[in-house]
């Protein structure tokens, strides 16, 4: 996410780092680079201009020029101004009284409304809500069917009266059903439409009037260009928008245009879609994104991902095992699976502070080898239960068998075992430390404190 | 309605948007007294802004601006110069579509939500109207209900349809479709593929597999690999084109959703940076709303004498 922008900016700052003193000339050169980076990221022209002017005003300040760490000062200014650009939002959905809470999703064709409906349904269910979803897209062939499938995958109830082809009737029918059956959230998916299509905009207004939504989420493709502001602005003017969902942020799109929407149209980003899986939807956190853009890592998102992938019990069980020195190959395999559950490895690495640069090293198409994880898993799978619990059983012929069974080589099996033994040793030391005791609760408290720190 | 009217109609809004900005820029520069002066910094900056707001991109915009300001001092009209530059970029990239063995295999690829499925339906209709016998192959086995969506289009276009079970191997469906095309003596096999972000290496490799299967069945297949780009796409369109070119061998562009206010300026950027020709443009939701692209007429429509 935002990788290219972050690469460009890091390049600029690296060249600044060499300067003992900043001069107006070097600041100007850096600003030119930042301007190009932002324009190539599709940030709106006017937003770029205003942004650069503000950064310049603050950067050529005597305090900054005279300071011993001018580059860091400039980074700070860019960071502050970017945060200001994103506005004072915290992502997710605001609390409202209405029951059922009605969420209307709208946007251009192909921005990802139906997929987002499913993801949002799943997200809400995870928060302990009971969402009902309904499609009012009677135009695109098989759109209603698509939501039925997506809803089923997300484990969310889909309201779908067969034969009802009037969008407004579908929406109000769903609202009545949600009321009667005790659903506390209704998500209404709508047909994609152009902001200049008067008939369809009227239809949208009619749906809005019928269900009186508290949230109108505009789904914006992160890859859109300069036109984004125009269409979002028009949707906002005609229908009203309360938040933006930035979709398809898992590509190399820089999302600059969609982000300008926030600055120009003045609506906050509520969620970010970061993949094709239904769990790939996260509340938007400007501070985290800015940190990531500037290569400062994103520990909080990482921890949240881990929390979602690991249950409290599993964590406690693992901790007990480590303390009692019972960590086996089986546990090792569970850990691998957990990591895989957390999402693409590259994405995870990017969240670790300092590792943003690591990606440059592997940039020349040498992607992080996701397959390596699968191979390790295959090796462990090819062992007998006994072997997994006691790796010391593994003699030469057993290793040969395992290599054959997993389609790998004996060298690979050996390497894995060596790594495992090292890991066991490390964990033993860790388990011996008193500080690890205390269980999950304590960890959670520490986390909450950290969140407070970051939010400031 | 011919190409010219259709595209003019759909570009009307585009033209307005682009024209309004442009009008301000060129009015001063093309006035009788303005013509004799070299282009001033403000005009250059405003022109650059107009081009970048049209998603033409930093590189292509810089090139156009540079060419224009170099020639301007000979008293030429700024409007005509810009028009000529854009046309030149598009024409340099233009080339006739490849032609060869029958059935002619066309892969339609792109990122999610650009309009691939709809475009395949329209393309089937267009080629049927021109006297060919197309066959549609639904190789998007990933997105929920994608096959059903395409089936509706195939029925509307009145052409053969080869479908796959959800979750089946797309390459196997393509194999089936080409075999059916050969057996039934069809001229054209149109393959709809699942939308995929160009950064997802494993999904991109799947396209390569489809290519290999097609190549084994018909000589030179896939003859055309068309990348569907949403006209609203920004500079990421360049990355998309670059990646799909290197992995899937894209050799043409289809620009969709040109009936909005987006200018599709990314097509100019792609023509400039990658020399990829635009083959078709999508101008609406109806089955007939796909038209073959012509640089000359596109620029004519874009630069129509409204301004």
């Amino acid at each position: 996410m935002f990788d290219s922008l972050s690469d460009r900016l890091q390049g600029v700052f690296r060249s600044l780092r060499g300067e003992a003193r900043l001069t107006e000339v070097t600041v100007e050169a850096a600003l030119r680079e930042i301007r190009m980076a932002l324009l190539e990221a599709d940030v709106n022209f006017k937003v770029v201009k205003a942004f650069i002017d503000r950064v310049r005003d603050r950067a050529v300040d005597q305090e900054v020029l005279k300071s011993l760490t001018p580059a860091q000062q400039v980074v700070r200014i860019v960071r502050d101004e970017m945060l200001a650009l994103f506005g004072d939002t915290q992502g997710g959905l605001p609390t409202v009284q209405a029951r059922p809470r009605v969420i209307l999703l709208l946007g251009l064709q192909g921005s990802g409304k139906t997929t987002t409906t499913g993801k949002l349904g799943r997200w809400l269910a995870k928060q302990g809500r009971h969402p009902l979803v309904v499609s009012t897209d009677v135009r695109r062939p098989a759109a209603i069917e698509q939501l039925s499938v997506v809803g089923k995958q997300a484990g969310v109830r889909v309201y779908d009266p067969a034969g009802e082809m009037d969008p407004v009737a579908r929406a109000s029918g769903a609202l009545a059903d949600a009321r009667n059956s005790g659903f506390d959230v209704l998500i209404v998916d709508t047909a994609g439409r152009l902001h200049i299509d008067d008939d369809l905009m009227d239809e949208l207004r009619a749906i809005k009037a019928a269900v009186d939504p508290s949230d109108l989420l505009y789904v914006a493709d992160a890859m859109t260009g300069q036109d984004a502001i125009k269409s979002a602005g028009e949707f906002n003017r005609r229908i009203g928008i309360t938040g933006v969902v930035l979709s398809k942020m898992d590509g190399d799109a820089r999302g600059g245009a969609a982000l300008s929407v926030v600055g120009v149209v003045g609506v906050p980003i509520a969620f970010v879609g970061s993949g094709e899986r239904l769990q790939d939807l996260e509340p938007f956190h400007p501070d985290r994104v800015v940190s990531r853009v500037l290569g400062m890592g994103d520990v909080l998102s990482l921890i949240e991902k881990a929390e979602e992938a690991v249950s409290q019990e599993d964590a406690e069980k693992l901790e007990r095992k480590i303390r009692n020195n019972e960590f086996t190959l089986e546990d090792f395999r569970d850990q691998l699976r957990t990591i895989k559950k957390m999402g693409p490895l590259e994405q995870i690495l990017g969240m670790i502070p300092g590792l943003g640069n690591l990606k440059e090293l592997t940039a020349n198409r040498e992607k992080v080898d996701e397959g390596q994880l699968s191979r390790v898993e295959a090796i462990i799978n090819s062992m007998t239960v006994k072997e997994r619990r006691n790796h010391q059983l593994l003699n030469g012929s057993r290793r040969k068998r395992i290599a054959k069974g997993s389609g790998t080589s004996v060298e690979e099996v050996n390497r894995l075992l060596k790594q495992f033994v090292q890991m066991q040793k490390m964990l033993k030391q860790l388990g011996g430390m008193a500080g690890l005791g205390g269980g999950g609760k304590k960890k959670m408290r520490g986390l909450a404190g950290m969140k407070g720190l970051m939010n400031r | 309605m011919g190409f010219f009217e259709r595209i003019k109609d759909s570009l009307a809004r585009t033209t307005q948007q682009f024209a309004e900005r442009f009008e301000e820029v060129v009015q001063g520069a093309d006035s009788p007294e303005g013509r004799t002066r070299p282009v001033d910094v403000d005009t250059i900056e405003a022109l650059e802004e107009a081009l970048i707001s049209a998603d033409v991109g930093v590189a292509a915009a810089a090139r156009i601006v540079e060419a224009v300001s170099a020639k301007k001092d000979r008293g030429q009209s700024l409007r005509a110069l810009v028009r000529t530059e854009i046309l030149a970029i598009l024409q340099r990239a233009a080339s006739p579509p490849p032609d060869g063995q029958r059935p002619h295999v066309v892969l339609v690829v792109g990122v999610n939500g650009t309009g691939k499925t709809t475009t395949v339906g329209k393309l089937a209709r267009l080629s049927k109207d021109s006297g060919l016998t197309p066959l549609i192959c639904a190789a998007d086995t990933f997105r929920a209900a994608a096959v059903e969506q395409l089936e509706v289009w195939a029925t509307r276009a009145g052409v053969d349809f080869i479908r796959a079970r959800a979750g089946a191997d797309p390459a196997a469906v393509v194999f089936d479709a080409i075999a059916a095309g050969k057996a039934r003596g069809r001229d054209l096999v149109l393959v709809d593929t699942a939308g995929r972000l160009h950064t997802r290496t494993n999904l991109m490799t799947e396209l390569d597999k489809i290519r290999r299967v097609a190549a084994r069945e018909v000589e030179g297949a896939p003859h055309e690999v068309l990348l569907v780009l949403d006209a609203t796409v920004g500079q990421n369109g360049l990355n998309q084109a670059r990646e799909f070119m290197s992995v899937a061998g894209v050799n043409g562009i289809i620009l969709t959703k040109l009936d909005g206010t987006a200018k599709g300026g990314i097509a100019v950027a792609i023509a400039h940076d990658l020399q990829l020709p635009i083959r078709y443009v999508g101008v609406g939701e109806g089955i007939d709303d796909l038209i073959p692209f012509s640089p000359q007429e596109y620029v004519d429509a874009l630069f129509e004498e409204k301004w």
Side-chain angles (χ1 to χ4, degrees):
Chain A
M1 202 205 266
F2 296 103
D3 285 346
S4 323
L5 181 55
S6 116
D7 288 350
R8 287 290 292 256
L9 289 179
Q10 280 184 5
V12 175
F13 295 138
R14 206 173 304 120
S15 63
L16 274 185
R17 225 170 277 159
E19 306 274 336
R21 285 274 189 279
L22 277 190
T23 63
E24 288 185 24
V25 180
T26 49
V27 168
E28 210 48 55
L31 287 177
R32 229 184 347 263
E33 280 297 312
I34 296 173
R35 176 176 176 271
M36 290 289 279
L38 293 173
L39 278 179
E40 282 181 7
D42 293 316
V43 177
N44 180 270
F45 209 93
K46 295 196 181 86
V47 175
V48 173
K49 222 173 192 173
F51 181 81
I52 295 291
D53 285 347
R54 273 201 306 272
V55 174
R56 180 188 294 116
D57 280 353
R58 294 184 51 187
V60 294
D61 188 75
Q62 287 307 308
E63 293 283 306
V64 178
L65 295 186
K66 270 190 273 170
S67 94
L68 286 173
T69 52
Q72 276 170 32
Q73 300 275 11
V74 175
V75 174
R76 247 205 27 222
I77 294 167
V78 171
R79 185 187 143 89
D80 289 354
E81 289 300 330
M82 268 198 179
L83 275 174
L85 195 76
F86 288 146
D88 193 17
T89 55
Q90 266 315 307
L93 294 170
T95 38
V96 294
Q97 293 301 318
R99 288 286 175 279
R101 172 187 203 140
V102 181
I103 302 172
L104 192 67
L105 291 185
L106 39 96
L108 302 172
Q109 290 96 336
S111 53
K113 287 174 297 303
T114 307
T115 308
T116 303
T117 305
K119 288 180 178 180
L120 195 56
R122 182 189 177 274
W123 186 81
L124 285 163
K126 278 240 152 186
Q127 309 283 310
R129 306 253 164 257
H130 302 282
L132 178 71
V133 303
V134 62
S135 170
T136 59
D137 187 353
V138 295
R139 293 168 57 84
R140 181 161 62 90
I144 293 176
E145 224 170 321
Q146 185 185 350
L147 186 62
S148 295
V149 178
V150 169
K152 200 181 281 171
Q153 286 166 354
V156 173
R157 260 276 293 281
V158 182
Y159 176 79
D160 184 13
E164 178 58 77
M165 289 310 257
D166 176 45
V168 179
R170 289 183 70 88
S172 42
L175 182 58
D177 187 50
R179 278 206 184 104
N180 296 336
S181 319
F183 289 97
D184 54 6
V185 187
L186 171 67
I187 310 175
V188 183
D189 183 21
T190 62
R193 63 201 75 217
L194 290 166
H195 49 288
I196 44 170
D197 190 327
D198 292 332
D199 294 347
L200 282 177
M201 291 306 263
D202 286 344
E203 179 198 283
L204 204 52
R205 211 174 290 126
I207 295 176
K208 184 191 169 190
V211 296
D212 188 25
S214 55
D215 306 84
L216 293 113
L217 299 182
Y218 177 78
V219 182
D221 188 327
M223 292 177 283
T224 21
Q226 302 276 347
D227 202 49
I229 287 186
K230 214 172 298 145
S231 44
E234 197 62 10
F235 269 100
N236 189 38
R237 196 178 63 78
R238 288 192 175 202
I239 311 291
I241 301 173
T242 63
V244 173
V245 179
L246 259 190
S247 65
K248 306 179 205 173
M249 274 306 253
D250 49 328
D252 56 359
R254 301 162 217 184
L259 291 173
S260 314
V261 168
V262 182
V264 177
V265 185
V267 279
I269 298 181
F271 293 96
V272 174
S274 54
E276 291 192 358
R277 303 173 313 163
L278 283 167
Q279 59 262 49
D280 296 331
L281 183 79
E282 310 161 9
F284 178 74
H285 298 284
D287 44 347
R288 298 187 196 175
V289 168
V290 170
S291 297
R292 221 186 293 181
V293 167
L294 299 175
M296 296 167 177
D298 179 7
V299 184
L300 286 180
S301 294
L302 182 67
I303 293 173
E304 266 172 29
K305 266 183 188 290
E307 275 177 348
E308 201 179 326
V310 190
S311 73
Q312 193 65 36
E313 289 154 57
D314 286 348
E316 275 164 20
K317 209 168 83 190
L318 179 69
E319 206 179 299
R320 211 167 35 241
K321 284 199 166 177
I322 292 176
R323 228 171 327 149
N324 301 340
N325 202 10
E326 289 166 357
F327 189 75
T328 65
L329 279 162
E330 233 165 15
D331 303 318
F332 186 47
R333 184 182 58 183
D334 290 345
Q335 294 306 302
L336 285 180
R337 288 187 178 155
T338 306
I339 290 174
K340 270 161 96 179
K341 252 198 285 183
M342 283 167 63
L345 211 48
E346 256 180 293
Q347 210 181 337
I348 296 174
L349 285 180
M351 290 179 189
I352 302 173
L355 281 193
N357 292 321
L358 185 105
K359 273 196 276 186
E360 277 170 45
L361 298 176
T362 55
N364 349 326
R365 304 260 54 164
E366 289 290 330
K367 298 257 151 125
V368 182
D369 195 357
E370 205 84 29
Q372 186 63 38
L373 288 188
S374 306
R375 273 206 294 283
V376 169
E377 207 186 314
I379 293 176
I380 301 178
N381 282 342
S382 299
M383 297 175 187
T384 65
V385 178
K386 243 187 198 158
E387 286 166 348
R388 277 180 221 148
R389 296 205 177 140
N390 182 7
H391 68 277
Q392 274 153 348
L393 285 177
L394 293 166
N395 57 22
S397 76
R398 282 177 190 257
R399 289 179 195 204
K400 224 158 138 188
R401 190 203 77 235
I402 290 162
K404 222 171 174 180
S406 56
T408 55
S409 61
V410 178
E411 289 81 58
E412 270 175 286
V413 177
N414 287 341
R415 206 177 317 133
L416 167 66
L417 286 172
K418 210 165 134 195
Q419 279 168 354
F420 173 73
V421 171
Q422 269 170 5
M423 193 172 165
Q424 228 183 7
K425 238 184 248 161
M426 215 174 70
L427 288 173
K428 203 171 177 179
Q429 288 172 345
L430 233 121
M433 288 195 301
L436 197 78
K441 282 272 151 47
K442 204 170 181 177
K443 250 188 291 176
M444 297 296 286
R445 262 206 302 282
L447 245 180
M450 223 165 121
K451 261 184 204 163
L453 256 174
M454 298 286 285
N455 285 345
R456 233 173 297 134
Chain B
M1 250 197 309
F3 175 90
F4 191 65
E5 284 75 27
R6 291 276 295 280
I7 199 163
K8 213 158 64 186
D9 193 41
S10 73
L11 277 177
R13 301 175 199 109
T14 308
T15 319
Q16 273 166 22
Q17 304 273 354
F18 187 57
E20 272 164 35
R21 289 227 46 76
F22 215 73
E23 186 62 26
E24 295 164 31
V25 180
V26 294
Q27 216 156 40
D30 283 352
S31 63
E33 61 272 23
R35 282 192 188 223
T36 53
R37 288 196 306 259
V39 197
D40 59 88
V41 182
D42 284 348
T43 310
I44 290 290
E45 201 175 283
L47 176 61
E48 196 185 16
E49 181 183 334
L51 289 168
I52 284 177
S53 309
D55 292 320
V56 163
V58 183
R63 198 205 109 119
I64 294 169
V65 169
E66 195 183 314
V68 166
S69 39
K71 288 183 196 151
K72 179 65 177 94
D73 48 4
R74 284 180 224 149
Q76 278 165 288
S77 145
L78 185 66
R79 174 179 304 169
L81 282 172
V82 175
R83 185 183 180 287
T84 317
E85 274 316 309
I86 294 182
L87 184 62
I89 290 174
L90 290 174
Q91 271 171 343
R92 225 185 341 269
S95 63
D99 200 13
Q101 289 282 319
R102 290 284 177 254
H104 186 75
V105 180
V106 178
L107 284 189
V108 177
V109 301
V111 301
N112 318 60
T114 53
K116 285 175 297 303
T117 306
T118 308
T119 300
V120 168
K122 293 176 181 174
L123 204 52
R125 173 59 153 265
L126 188 70
S127 45
K128 196 184 172 204
D129 286 350
S130 66
L132 295 169
T133 54
L135 177 142
I136 290 181
C137 165
D140 181 354
T141 56
F142 182 80
R143 181 164 63 89
V147 175
E148 287 74 13
Q149 183 185 349
L150 188 56
E151 194 164 21
V152 173
W153 282 107
T155 317
R156 284 183 194 167
V159 303
D160 289 356
F161 182 68
I162 301 290
R163 62 179 303 157
R165 272 169 290 111
D169 181 11
V173 193
V174 173
F175 176 87
D176 288 349
I178 293 179
K182 281 203 267 190
R184 301 179 199 175
R186 299 288 181 256
D187 306 314
L188 188 62
V189 175
L190 298 169
V191 182
D192 180 28
T193 62
R196 65 202 76 218
L197 289 181
H198 48 291
T199 48
R200 297 282 300 277
T201 325
N202 49 343
L203 288 177
M204 293 300 276
T205 338
E206 181 188 283
L207 281 182
D208 186 51
K209 186 176 173 194
I210 294 179
R211 279 185 67 88
R212 276 184 279 122
V213 167
R216 217 161 48 212
E217 294 310 305
V218 185
E219 199 193 319
H223 307 91
E224 281 184 84
V225 182
L226 299 175
L227 174 68
V228 179
L229 280 181
D230 189 322
T232 60
V233 77
Q235 297 314 299
N236 191 250
L238 267 174
N239 297 12
Q240 293 173 28
R242 218 172 267 133
E243 284 303 310
F244 276 100
M245 257 175 109
S246 79
V247 179
V250 163
N251 55 13
I253 301 276
I254 301 179
L255 204 54
T256 59
K257 307 184 197 174
L258 214 55
D259 47 334
T261 49
K263 299 138 193 88
I266 191 65
V268 178
I270 289 176
H272 175 261
D273 288 14
L274 304 173
Q275 264 82 45
L276 263 184
I278 304 160
R279 295 264 180 251
Y280 303 94
V281 292
V283 294
E285 292 190 324
I287 195 162
D288 294 317
D289 293 330
L290 184 78
I291 42 188
F293 179 81
S294 133
Q296 179 70 51
E297 291 177 23
Y298 177 80
V299 176
D300 279 350
L302 195 62
F303 284 76
E304 212 214 338
E305 257 330 295
K306 230 176 251 155
W307 44 281

